[in-house]
Amino acid sequence: MLPIADSGRRQSIQEDPKTYGKGRNISKSIELMPRSSYFNEGTAMDLMKRQKLGLAGLLPAYVDTLDVQKARVLRIIRSKKDALVKYILLSQLRTSNVRLFYKIVIDELEEIAPIIYTPTVGTACTEYSNIYPFLAPPGVSDGLYLTKAELPELCQAIRNYCPAEHDLDPEIAVITDGSRILGLGDLGSNGIGIPIGKLQLYIAAAGIDPRRTLPIILDVGTNNEKLLKDEFYLGLRQKRPNDEEFYEIVDKVITALRTVYPQLLIQFEDWSTEHAFGLLERYQHKILCFNDDIQGTGAVILSGLINAIRKVEKEDGVSPEDHRIVFHGAGSAAIGVARQIQSYFQIEHGMSEDEAKKLFWISDSKGLVTTSRGDKLPEHKQYYARNDTNDKQFKELLDIVNYVKPTVIIGLSSVAGTFTEEVLSRMAELNKQPIVFPLSNPESQAECTFEDAMKATDEKVIFASGTAFPAYKTSKGETVHPGQGNNMYIFPGLGLGAILSHTKHITDRMIYETSMALANSLTDDETAQGWLYPSLKRIRQVSSVVAAAVCQEALKEKLATSEAVIYGCKSHDDVVDYVISHMWCPTKEGYGEESAAEADHI
């Protein structure tokens, strides 16, 4: 499984393992397949294939089925109490048996997603340098680690990551510099856990081929003094560069990625607020890219809010234009969410930009953001700064709630417990069904819990969070499950749609259409139960609808370049069918007994 450098351009062709080795060096195929984490079937490998691959005597005698392998793994995972231990065990499995790992993730997504991504990935990133030796076999890299030292040979460094067992180009890269990991701050090189985790969800939720994913950490240093003094920290022991040097480094990395893989979709993830906006503005209309913190978060929260707005309009008679929305938190994610929600009011309800903007009040650590507050506002906060408070300033969130009388309160502050009992109960006094979205991740940073919100609002709250919370048993004995505004509802389908349509860019309208597609994807039963988001059990179906919306908008904007999409998809159903037919699954190429015939070609 050792990645082997390839100085030539790799071809983007799908390789069928049933014909693996045809037209290639047979001895090389035999040499690489036993060491391939992708083709490895472990104890499910047929006896004949073991013999042909020189593995006789190297595996236990019994030949398992995939289902038995899955059950064995789950038995061990479920026996562990520590989530980080579960994360480590699953990482080991992913880097040794890719298809078994994704069989488990896809089948048991609601159980496994919180282990491989939020909230456990936050702990994993904090401890990444310490757990690194236990995550993968020797010679297997979890991701691509780039530093300033690689700049002269960037293209070769990028090619080095591609394993020699296949000739497939990456279709999507998730890249971070580790400067703002979840709500945990600057974790430097330890932030590699985020691209790794994100891409696992692309694969599980949208069926992107795991061999065509590229997790990247751009290690330019860290300003985290604790890490700089940590003898076990594996990243660069230096401070982050100034903006001029930073953008010069990023430009070179992006250029090299596009040189090696011209059709690569690049997702920016967990950059500092200023750089997140700066990078999106710099590249959005030049290359195929998007920022999930700004655009993906905005899209998924908008979708949940659309269904909340529909619910209170139908049940309580609250007109959409009468909403008043308070944001607690004013970072890149918060402003991105606000802009997405504003676009909904303009597009769907015919409001002018100024009318829609006035529905929003933004607060940060200093209080309500106003033009008269006296401090110098960063550029991204200026748009929503209020100029209509008669120079009154409001520091505390409860005071802001009393002044604004909001129908919706959204938290992206990364400060735990800021939606206090007083704030929540006041929201319930102001609204028949207060809409409360504490969105900060991980759980330790959430503005309130589902239980907090239910108790303080007499169980009237319409709730969605950024992290998973347990169900709540009401005073009537009913079990209520909280909504979770998980970006997983948006970014996998968005990425898949962009890849399949070969769109030149990802536009704001494409992002908006993903929100509408997600909001409209609920079944009648889900809507009747008051859900804001569909069941995660249907995530692949939901992702196909989201991806189809991206493809259709790319066609509408004449940005799609895929001939199969342009000429072969004449209707919405055609697009959905095309998307579904291109979704990877672990057994698509045969596994275990189903792939026994493969031995005849070895």
Side-chain angles (χ1 to χ4, degrees):
M1 291 183 283
L2 181 67
I4 298 176
D6 182 356
S7 59
R9 179 77 173 89
R10 295 184 180 276
Q11 298 298 311
S12 297
I13 56 173
Q14 290 283 356
E15 180 121 37
D16 185 345
K18 292 185 175 65
T19 59
Y20 192 87
K22 287 188 173 182
R24 301 178 58 161
N25 185 303
I26 301 300
S27 62
K28 181 181 179 182
S29 299
I30 295 174
E31 176 190 352
L32 294 177
M33 283 188 69
R35 299 190 292 130
S36 165
S37 61
Y38 184 85
F39 291 114
N40 176 30
E41 298 170 354
T43 52
M45 186 177 289
D46 177 82
L47 293 175
M48 182 181 297
K49 189 189 295 185
R50 298 183 190 188
Q51 192 73 34
K52 291 286 185 72
L53 292 174
L55 298 178
L58 302 184
L59 291 168
Y62 187 76
V63 178
D64 272 332
T65 65
L66 178 58
D67 287 337
V68 171
Q69 286 184 316
K70 171 189 164 183
R72 181 183 292 111
V73 172
L74 287 174
R75 180 183 180 186
I76 296 300
I77 294 296
R78 289 167 179 166
S79 72
K80 306 301 178 184
K81 303 301 182 184
D82 190 305
L84 185 59
V85 172
K86 295 182 180 184
Y87 178 93
I88 293 170
L89 289 174
L90 287 170
S91 294
Q92 292 172 350
L93 180 64
R94 174 176 50 82
T95 54
S96 61
N97 191 327
V98 171
R99 292 183 289 171
L100 173 56
F101 171 79
Y102 283 110
K103 169 68 174 174
I104 294 169
V105 176
I106 292 168
D107 289 355
E108 311 294 337
L109 187 62
E110 289 180 292
E111 177 183 353
I112 302 299
I115 302 172
I116 63 174
Y117 204 59
T118 56
T120 308
V121 73
T123 305
C125 286
T126 302
E127 297 293 331
Y128 210 84
S129 290
N130 297 318
I131 65 175
Y132 180 80
F134 307 101
L135 300 179
V140 177
S141 177
D142 244 1
L144 182 60
Y145 295 78
L146 297 177
T147 69
K148 187 177 179 180
E150 276 79 43
L151 291 181
E153 300 293 337
L154 262 180
C155 290
Q156 184 57 55
I158 292 167
R159 291 190 186 99
N160 286 348
Y161 178 76
C162 188
E165 69 213 36
H166 62 75
D167 290 327
L168 304 178
D169 283 354
E171 294 176 321
I172 181 168
V174 176
I175 182 170
T176 185
D177 69 343
S179 56
R180 191 189 61 81
I181 298 299
L182 302 174
L184 303 172
D186 184 352
L187 296 186
S189 179
N190 286 350
I192 183 65
I194 293 296
I196 292 169
K198 206 84 175 185
L199 287 167
Q200 291 173 47
L201 298 182
Y202 272 106
I203 296 160
I208 292 176
D209 192 321
R211 296 168 293 181
R212 310 196 75 159
T213 62
L214 178 57
I216 305 173
I217 181 74
L218 177 56
D219 186 358
V220 294
T222 178
N223 293 336
N224 186 327
E225 291 292 339
K226 183 178 179 180
L227 291 179
L228 291 172
K229 296 175 182 177
D230 185 350
E231 64 174 317
F232 297 117
Y233 177 58
L234 292 172
L236 288 178
R237 310 289 181 89
Q238 64 185 43
K239 293 282 190 175
R240 292 183 176 275
N242 59 36
D243 278 1
E244 182 179 357
E245 183 181 0
F246 168 82
Y247 281 111
E248 181 182 344
I249 292 171
V250 175
D251 281 343
K252 289 180 179 178
V253 169
I254 297 301
T255 298
L257 284 169
R258 298 286 295 175
T259 298
V260 179
Y261 305 121
Q263 293 186 316
L264 185 70
L265 167 60
I266 297 173
Q267 184 206 306
F268 295 104
E269 180 76 15
D270 283 3
W271 300 72
S272 67
T273 296
E274 293 76 13
H275 290 161
F277 278 99
L279 292 171
L280 185 61
E281 182 178 350
R282 197 178 191 94
Y283 296 115
Q284 183 178 13
H285 302 295
K286 294 180 180 178
I287 65 172
L288 183 60
C289 70
F290 74 102
N291 182 300
D292 188 53
D293 301 307
I294 298 173
Q295 296 166 293
T297 300
V300 75
I301 301 311
L302 169 58
S303 178
L305 190 60
I306 288 171
N307 285 326
I309 289 170
R310 290 171 177 172
K311 181 176 173 63
V312 296
E313 182 177 22
K314 179 180 179 180
E315 298 176 6
D316 304 332
V318 180
S319 178
E321 57 267 22
D322 291 335
H323 279 283
R324 296 173 300 281
I325 304 170
V326 166
F327 273 79
H328 186 55
S332 60
I335 302 304
V337 171
R339 294 302 291 259
Q340 286 285 83
I341 297 171
Q342 180 180 328
S343 67
Y344 164 74
F345 285 104
Q346 292 178 226
I347 294 170
E348 299 300 323
H349 299 289
M351 300 176 72
S352 68
E353 179 181 357
D354 191 55
E355 289 171 337
K357 184 171 74 169
K358 287 181 178 178
L359 300 180
F360 297 84
W361 283 260
I362 310 296
S363 69
D364 59 14
S365 59
K366 298 178 181 178
L368 185 65
V369 176
T370 69
T371 57
S372 58
R373 198 168 68 176
D375 58 327
K376 184 178 180 181
L377 296 175
E379 184 177 352
H380 71 277
K381 294 184 184 180
Q382 294 174 14
Y383 181 81
Y384 285 112
R386 303 293 301 202
N387 61 4
D388 55 357
T389 62
N390 296 319
D391 292 334
K392 293 180 180 179
Q393 308 303 323
F394 302 91
K395 168 69 174 175
E396 302 299 328
L397 181 58
L398 181 58
D399 294 334
I400 296 171
V401 169
N402 283 326
Y403 172 71
V404 176
K405 296 179 174 57
T407 56
V408 181
I409 185 167
I410 296 174
L412 281 160
S413 66
S414 295
V415 180
T418 49
F419 290 180
T420 63
E421 182 179 354
E422 292 77 15
V423 168
L424 293 168
S425 61
R426 181 57 177 151
M427 287 291 294
E429 292 172 0
L430 293 168
N431 305 278
K432 292 180 180 179
Q433 295 186 90
I435 300 170
V436 178
F437 281 21
L439 301 176
S440 293
N441 273 317
E443 181 179 345
S444 60
Q445 308 290 329
E447 287 77 13
C448 71
T449 67
F450 183 44
E451 182 179 6
D452 293 338
M454 289 291 282
K455 287 181 176 179
T457 63
D458 295 325
E459 302 175 353
K460 299 190 302 182
V461 68
I462 298 175
F463 181 95
S465 59
T467 192
F469 284 112
Y472 177 85
K473 193 169 186 177
T474 70
S475 56
K476 297 179 181 179
E478 299 172 347
T479 299
V480 181
H481 295 271
Q484 184 187 359
N486 193 324
N487 287 27
M488 180 167 50
Y489 284 115
I490 289 289
F491 69 78
L494 171 58
L496 181 62
I499 289 168
L500 293 181
S501 65
H502 294 171
T503 182
K504 297 176 183 177
H505 310 294
I506 293 176
T507 65
D508 290 340
R509 188 57 186 248
M510 289 179 196
I511 303 290
Y512 178 80
E513 292 300 331
T514 66
S515 296
M516 295 303 298
L518 175 59
N520 294 330
S521 71
L522 273 70
T523 65
D524 291 341
D525 184 56
E526 289 167 344
T527 301
Q529 294 183 63
W531 291 11
L532 303 183
Y533 297 99
S535 169
L536 276 178
K537 291 182 173 66
R538 299 195 301 109
I539 188 61
R540 284 208 159 198
Q541 179 186 354
V542 172
S543 292
S544 69
V545 172
V546 171
V550 174
C551 290
Q552 289 186 291
E553 184 59 28
L555 286 169
K556 184 177 179 180
E557 297 186 44
K558 300 188 184 306
L559 291 173
T561 61
S562 165
E563 292 187 359
V565 172
I566 294 172
Y567 300 112
C569 298
K570 303 300 183 183
S571 67
H572 172 75
D573 288 345
D574 287 344
V575 178
V576 173
D577 289 343
Y578 179 77
V579 169
I580 292 173
S581 71
H582 284 76
M583 296 175 81
W584 176 90
C585 72
T587 57
K588 195 170 187 176
E589 299 154 325
Y591 186 96
E593 291 183 358
E594 295 179 1
S595 66
E598 183 181 326
D600 294 335
H601 299 294
I602 297 174

